[in-house]
Amino acid sequence: MKKHVITLLLVLLLPLLTVKGSASDDEFLRIGTDAAYAPFSWTQSDASNGAIPIEGTNQYANGYDIQVAKAIAEQLGKKPLVVKTSFTGLIPALTSGKVDLIIAGMSPTDERRLQIDFSETYYRSAPVLVVRSDSPYAQAKQLSHFAGAAITSQQGTYLYDLISQIKGAHQETAMGDFSQIRQALLSGVIDAYVTDRPDGIAAEVASPEFKMIVPEDGFEVSASDVDLAIGIQKGNDTLKATVNQVLANTLKDQQALMDQVVPWQPLVETEADSQPNFIQQMGQILKDNWQTFLSGTAMTLLIAITSTVIGTSIGYGIGAFRTAPKANHPLLAILQGLLGRLITIYVEVFRGTPMIVQSMVIYYGTAQAFGVDLNRTWAAIFIVAVNTGAYMSETIRGAILAIDKGQFEAATALGFTHGQTMTKIVLPQVFRYTLPAIGNEFVLNIKDTSVLNVISVVELYFSGNTVATQTYQYFQTFTLIAIIYFILTYTVTRLLRRLEQRLDADDYTGGMTVSIGGTHD
């Protein structure tokens, strides 16, 4: 059993360990952005208006940042490719070599300059607030008019820090991206959010439900806040010089380019005479984006199924090892104890840390620390599988210990080795006993794949969030996502319940127990 588990782990790890090549050897210029911050960047379903593809999807990105990226790629003789990444994951993606440039409306703050280099300014903006057009705050003129308002902004940006300048306002918890913030605003969770002026203009253009407020007294900001620059890996002076050359030669009129791209962003289509109801809107979203939802669902199932099978196998191997008798040979006993301690560390670490943190460490950390480039899908499967193995190992160990000791004694009397006892007698019974736990892990894995969006895995949540940023119909889109998740988990639960009933009908465990005693019922 131990040999099988080790072989399985080696087979799993081999395709993951690909030494990362030089970025100059690649035909693509990989651009890191969240593609959810119009008009700087957004996601759309086709290549219209010069959009460029998003890696791993059938979607495209466009906007001010994307047009800048195209100009830089052309100068370098490469094809631009967007690697859609959450804003908080952009710097790790750059420092680990997953992307070549960050073009995402990022301010070159002193803290960020400690980790990465920046180009010259490629856009200068000003902070504003966005509210609902039917809100009492829609008539606000001064910052003081927002006293008592619940206000937030994007996590990790200078915009969030500006809220403290609004006396009497309630500074709510920062959010991951602006699609989440707009959803919170429409739902009434917040009253306003602080953003850059282009985003405020884009929100008004995209939906009549939003209104931009430019306070007359304004925010106090520094040049490093309102100046936006392109993130570049430290030490890559050649690329930095090329980027600055493009900005100086081809991007002289920044406002003209911004005015050009604003009308390109996807708009919320409404009919004045016949506004579709909530169900009709969901139906239209599904009709227009079914391929995106199908692709995301397929990736979710692939990761959940594969990782559950691998993780459960790891759990069985560890469970069998930890319940094995102590080896008689002194050297084997030492090795057994050492391996047991390593297994304990593995189980405690993966059970004691969040999967979202593990994803960032494993995917970005291995590239940054060791120069190892992990395939994104294989990395996702590996992350979920080792988590499953850590949890299932304890469940299976408990199930093995619950087997009647008389069966072990009978197997020993018949001359069975420990491995034969486990594979032929114990583990088949353990499988039946732990089937509900395996099903529970399967259901959890289907849902937990959503955290993998931090490493840009295009699973169901990632795909749905992409659609939401296109349509601005957040409630409708996420309701659809919830329904799909429920269908998947309910179907898995029903199938496993049928399997349990089938095994019970076949007298699965009873037959095994009786056969050990030498009789047949």
Side-chain angles (χ1 to χ4, degrees):
M1 175 61 69
K2 287 181 287 185
K3 292 180 180 179
H4 292 315
V5 173
I6 293 172
T7 301
L8 180 62
L9 288 173
L10 290 175
V11 170
L12 177 63
L13 287 170
L14 282 176
L16 300 179
L17 302 177
T18 305
V19 177
K20 179 164 60 70
S22 170
S24 61
D25 297 333
D26 201 328
E27 63 175 323
F28 293 103
L29 179 68
R30 289 183 164 80
I31 309 300
T33 180
D34 56 6
Y37 187 38
F40 287 102
S41 66
W42 64 79
T43 303
Q44 60 187 56
S45 58
D46 56 46
S48 61
N49 298 318
I52 63 176
I54 297 175
E55 184 183 41
T57 74
N58 58 355
Q59 300 288 308
Y60 296 81
N62 209 341
Y64 183 91
D65 290 347
I66 305 306
Q67 297 305 312
V68 173
K70 287 176 62 178
I72 297 171
E74 183 178 356
Q75 180 70 24
L76 292 169
K78 295 187 176 186
K79 300 177 183 178
L81 181 67
V82 165
V83 179
K84 189 172 181 179
T85 308
S86 64
F87 193 84
T88 53
L90 286 173
I91 290 181
L94 179 63
T95 56
S96 64
K98 300 297 183 181
V99 300
D100 302 309
L101 295 172
I102 296 175
I103 311 182
M106 182 174 283
S107 303
T109 61
D110 293 338
E111 293 79 10
R112 290 176 180 146
R113 287 186 183 276
L114 295 175
Q115 303 178 62
I116 62 176
D117 286 338
F118 283 96
S119 69
E120 298 296 331
T121 300
Y122 79 102
Y123 192 82
R124 180 165 293 145
S125 185
V128 298
L129 294 104
V130 173
V131 301
R132 284 180 55 157
S133 55
D134 60 354
S135 164
Y137 299 100
Q139 306 305 318
K141 301 295 183 182
Q142 306 282 336
L143 290 178
S144 59
H145 294 167
F146 287 91
I151 306 176
T152 190
S153 191
Q154 188 177 34
Q155 183 182 24
T157 67
Y158 84 98
L159 298 167
Y160 185 71
D161 297 330
L162 295 181
I163 301 174
S164 61
Q165 296 183 21
I166 307 175
K167 294 182 179 180
H170 300 291
Q171 186 170 11
E172 301 295 322
T173 303
M175 297 187 180
D177 58 55
F178 281 92
S179 64
Q180 298 174 12
I181 295 172
R182 295 187 189 107
Q183 182 184 0
L185 180 61
L186 291 176
S187 65
V189 174
I190 59 174
D191 298 309
Y193 69 89
V194 181
T195 185
D196 285 311
R197 188 181 185 112
D199 174 70
I201 296 172
E204 286 188 325
V205 171
S207 173
E209 294 185 271
F210 296 116
K211 182 179 180 180
M212 179 179 68
I213 304 296
V214 183
E216 295 174 353
D217 46 351
F219 291 96
E220 294 181 7
V221 296
S222 64
S224 63
D225 289 333
V226 296
D227 288 351
L228 307 181
I230 297 172
I232 307 167
Q233 263 194 347
K234 277 190 172 296
N236 197 341
D237 295 332
T238 302
L239 180 57
K240 183 177 179 179
T242 301
V243 170
N244 286 333
Q245 180 184 359
V246 171
L247 296 181
N249 296 338
T250 65
L251 199 63
K252 296 178 181 179
D253 194 341
Q254 299 174 359
Q255 196 55 51
L257 178 58
M258 182 62 75
D259 293 341
Q260 179 185 358
V261 302
V262 166
W264 292 351
Q265 66 174 318
L267 304 179
V268 179
E269 297 182 2
T270 59
E271 298 180 14
D273 298 330
S274 178
Q275 176 67 30
N277 60 39
F278 188 83
I279 301 299
Q280 291 172 329
Q281 291 172 350
M282 287 175 54
Q284 187 63 44
I285 292 171
L286 184 60
K287 179 182 177 182
D288 294 340
N289 302 279
W290 67 269
Q291 291 179 315
T292 300
F293 286 116
L294 181 62
S295 176
T297 301
M299 179 59 72
T300 290
L301 283 176
L302 171 65
I303 295 172
I305 293 172
T306 308
S307 59
T308 301
V309 171
I310 295 174
T312 301
S313 301
I314 294 172
Y316 269 91
I318 292 175
F321 175 84
R322 298 181 86 170
T323 55
K326 186 175 182 179
N328 294 322
H329 193 283
L331 180 59
L332 291 179
I334 293 174
L335 292 175
Q336 185 182 30
L338 179 60
L339 182 56
R341 291 183 181 181
L342 292 175
I343 289 174
T344 299
I345 293 172
Y346 152 67
V347 171
E348 294 302 325
V349 167
F350 281 94
R351 290 178 63 192
T353 56
M355 189 187 294
I356 191 170
V357 175
Q358 296 166 14
S359 301
M360 297 282 283
V361 171
I362 292 173
Y363 185 65
Y364 295 127
T366 52
Q368 186 171 350
F370 307 110
V372 176
D373 187 17
L374 305 182
N375 174 277
R376 186 177 290 111
T377 302
W378 277 105
I381 293 172
F382 175 78
I383 291 163
V384 181
V386 294
N387 269 273
T388 302
Y391 282 97
M392 287 303 300
S393 64
E394 290 299 287
T395 300
I396 292 168
R397 184 175 71 90
I400 292 173
L401 294 176
I403 299 294
D404 193 298
K405 293 183 179 179
Q407 296 188 35
F408 289 91
E409 295 170 354
T412 302
L414 292 172
F416 281 43
T417 64
H418 177 71
Q420 290 173 328
T421 302
M422 297 301 293
T423 56
K424 298 181 182 299
I425 299 172
V426 177
L427 293 185
Q429 298 178 73
V430 168
F431 175 75
R432 173 61 189 90
Y433 296 152
T434 60
L435 192 55
I438 295 173
N440 187 53
E441 280 296 317
F442 194 0
V443 169
L444 288 174
N445 286 344
I446 289 175
K447 296 183 293 183
D448 285 350
T449 55
S450 60
V451 307
L452 299 171
N453 74 89
V454 297
I455 60 171
S456 306
V457 176
V458 190
E459 37 69 52
L460 178 55
Y461 174 81
F462 184 102
S463 301
N465 193 50
T466 295
V467 173
T469 60
Q470 290 177 246
T471 63
Y472 279 72
Q473 294 177 310
Y474 300 102
F475 295 131
Q476 299 90 328
T477 303
F478 284 104
T479 299
L480 272 174
I481 297 173
I483 292 172
I484 296 173
Y485 272 120
F486 176 76
I487 292 173
L488 294 178
T489 56
Y490 182 80
T491 302
V492 167
T493 302
R494 293 295 95 191
L495 290 175
L496 290 174
R497 189 65 54 82
R498 290 289 298 274
L499 179 58
E500 290 180 41
Q501 294 172 350
R502 176 67 179 272
L503 294 177
D504 290 340
D506 292 341
D507 195 23
Y508 184 82
T509 58
M512 289 301 302
T513 303
V514 173
S515 64
I516 296 172
T519 62
H520 182 73
D521 191 338

